[in-house]
């Protein structure tokens, strides 16, 4: 559905995007992540045809965004972060206005409007002015206008910002339902939301792709957590002497027991268990550590960036967080 190759864009001396490349397959829900100023908004503007890159190629559904812009935009539904709506209009009048702006034939408008309204749960609010709707309902109106023409690609920029916990859960369910018919690119600063909704993430930092992987791949690790019933002075030194151990970090388990995180590129479970038995350590727990998306994001944010070609940069995080 999306093919991006060597995309670059600068604003004066500032490089917003530097040879960014990634693909998104039909039916995927992909999270686009990055800190403020990372280049996410620039990438979205280029994908939607509102901004031209300095170099690179972008295709949506096999169409070139730069030369077939209108045809591409007809295939895209877009909800921007600020959800721009005409607050003086009713929900019904606003969606009718959007249908006309998209040049949807009059005969086709009623079924499309009906599908969008029921998909977003707005059937009880059609005559209400948008100005009288809650933040959550306004977000639904924004999504309704984005899916009105049944787009093949749906781009959602911060769709859960400002929503309360109940509305966030409802929004997650809605996005999952929409994914049955559309490919979804989901941009958000809220990492737990991305984990809850997306199958895969693309992390952009300083204008470059630092990670591109499924969440399960990012979470995978050989790091082990060793928890003891009571403290022992020699444990950390013994762990550091093991072959293939990269780092040992002394931590405290959530229930207050002394613990160690053993980082390695190899599976150390059997070795650690044998070492604990050999030294008669009061072993309470031995488990594999799991990287959350927040952990991966923070590691990338604080790790040095390599200036290799784009392919190696994309492959870098998978090896780095594994």
């Amino acid at each position: 559905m999306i093919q991006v190759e060597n995309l670059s864009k600068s604003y004066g001396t500032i490089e917003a995007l530097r040879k960014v490349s990634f693909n998104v397959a039909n039916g995927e829900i992909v999270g686009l992540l990055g800190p403020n100023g990372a280049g996410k908004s620039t990438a979205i503007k280029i994908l939607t045809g509102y901004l031209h890159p300095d170099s690179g190629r972008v295709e949506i559904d096999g169409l070139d965004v730069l030369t077939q812009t209108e045809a591409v935009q007809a295939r895209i539904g877009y909800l921007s972060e600020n959800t721009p709506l005409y607050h003086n209009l009713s929900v019904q009048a606003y969606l009718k206005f959007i249908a006309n702006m998209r040049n949807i034939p009059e005969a086709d408008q009623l079924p499309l409007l009906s599908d969008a309204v029921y998909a977003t749960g707005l059937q009880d609010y059609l005559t209400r002015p948008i100005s009288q709707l809650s933040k959550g309902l306004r977000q639904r109106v924004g999504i309704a206008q984005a899916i009105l023409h049944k787009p093949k690609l749906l781009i959602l920029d911060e769709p859960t910002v400002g929503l309360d916990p109940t509305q966030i859960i409802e929004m997650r369910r809605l996005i999952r339902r929409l994914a049955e018919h559309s490919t979804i690119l989901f941009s958000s600063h809220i990492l737990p939301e991305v984990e809850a909704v997306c199958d895969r993430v693309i992390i952009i930092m300083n204008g470059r792709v630092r990670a591109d992987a499924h969440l399960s791949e990012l979470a995978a690790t050989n790091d082990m957590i060793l928890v003891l019933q009571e403290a022992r002075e020699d444990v950390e030194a013994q762990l550091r002497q093991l072959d293939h151990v990269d780092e040992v970090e002394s931590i405290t388990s959530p229930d207050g027991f002394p613990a160690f995180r053993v980082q390695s590129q190899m599976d150390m479970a059997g070795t650690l268990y044998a070492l604990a038995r050999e030294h008669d350590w009061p072993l309470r727990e031995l488990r594999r550590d799991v990287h959350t998306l927040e952990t991966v994001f923070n590691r990338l944010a604080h790790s040095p960036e390599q200036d290799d070609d784009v392919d190696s940069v994309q492959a870098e995080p998978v090896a780095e967080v594994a």
Side-chain angles (χ1 to χ4, degrees), residues 154-175:
L154 186 58
I155 299 176
L156 304 176
D157 193 0
E158 303 287 354
T160 61
V161 168
L163 302 186
D164 64 36
T166 300
Q167 293 170 333
I168 288 174
I169 292 173
E170 291 175 352
M171 186 62 69
R172 289 178 187 172
R173 292 171 179 164
L174 173 57
I175 291 171

Side-chain angles (χ1 to χ4, degrees), residues 3 36 49 62 64 99 126 139-140 160 163 188 190 198 220 223 231 239 241 246 260 272-274 290 294 322:
Q3 290 184 315
N36 290 330
D64 189 296
L126 289 176
Q139 288 287 80
R140 289 194 197 181
T160 61
L163 302 186
S188 178
I190 307 173
C198 298
D223 296 356
L239 292 173
Q241 291 177 12
D246 299 325
F260 300 88
L272 293 178
Y273 180 72
V290 177
E294 182 177 0

